[in-house]
Amino acid sequence: MINATRLGAAMAAVTVLSNRAEVTDWALRYFGPWWNATSLDAAEVYAEAVVIADVKPADYEEITLLVHDGRPTETVNYAKHPVLVARDGEDIIATSPGEEIAYRSTPSTGRLTLAGTNPQSLTLAAARLARESIRSQLLRDGWAVLHASAVVRPDDGATLLAFGDKGAGKTTTALLLASHGWQLLANDRVLVRPIGELGVEVVPWPSAAALGLGLLHALGWDVTAREYLRTGGSFHPTQHASVTEALLDGSHTPLWDGKGRERKVQVFPDQFPELFNVPLATGGQAAGLLFPRVDANAAPDVIDGARTLGKADFMSGATEDRYPDVFELAQGVDGGGKESVRTEVASRLSALTHRAVRLSHDIPASAALLDKVADTIR
């Protein structure tokens, strides 16, 4: 039986097809309402981009042998795995021995075929490429990618974008506002495009959200998370086992890996409304920019020095090096969008209200400040 899940964002769409239900079920859950994910009959799939991901060891072997038959190849690091890439006519073929997945991409049609031996590896790879397919379609259609969190006011679609370096408080800002009447659009990045004379349309970039143990506790969500785990629930599989153990033990002391990075709770998009009563938004129009900074011991306040947007606030091919466009889905467009689009978006956003805010570990006080600031942006 062939299973199908269709994803749609703005005017872009892709359908994931598979002979294993877990592959399409994962796409349905992972992208959910953010990208209008729906199950459908495979017979209803028409001429649009498709990702076909089947557990077929024979097909994996066949494509792998093609890659190794003496044609020119290139080794590319893709999703933290070395992938050997070659060409077969107009198609791009590739094999990832570590995942036991082989790929065939036809850029002119947007058709991607994956064949593998391990259902879990295939499931994750299919979701990655479905997301890349949507992003590539939008980039070609005049969208860009911003490194920002975002929330939407439900009554008018006004969208607040929060910018800052890692640890600045983008996720904290979005979650505090989403816990107080706003809808969560994104926790780390968004897709944007100029619309009308002055507007900037915003749609989400679905991904698992990384929440530190301290933030989870400060929001009062750690008890819910612990009970969820104790009753058989689970978070995203990229969550480190030590984080799960800490949640179960009731610890909220930050955990660190050997490279100075904090290990965090990895929350599926659909877990925000289901577990934490945080509603999700599917789109909006930019209305204001926030530049948060966390100072644990200072009182939350509006501060001077709201900065302007810089190159670091836009994602680019260089910053998306985990997923280089080896399958040529974007057809030459940079991973962050066309330069002309980024320039126009930056110009339009510069005309909107900017607020620099200082947050603290006093969550109620920080939430009250953000509520006050958000009310001034129309």
Side-chain angles (χ1 to χ4, degrees), residues 13 18 25 51 119 133 223 306:
S18 180
D25 288 348
V51 173
S133 177
V223 174

Side-chain angles (χ1 to χ4, degrees), residues 112 156 168 229 276 361:
L112 272 161
D156 61 1
L229 291 172
F276 306 126
H361 289 178

Side-chain angles (χ1 to χ4, degrees), residues 85-103:
V85 184
R87 286 194 172 271
D88 185 35
E90 71 168 310
D91 288 359
I92 298 160
I93 55 176
T95 184
S96 175
E99 301 171 286
E100 294 190 339
I101 297 173
Y103 304 85

Side-chain angles (χ1 to χ4, degrees), residues 300-312:
D301 203 356
V302 177
I303 56 179
D304 294 330
R307 66 174 178 81
T308 57
L309 295 186
K311 285 189 176 181

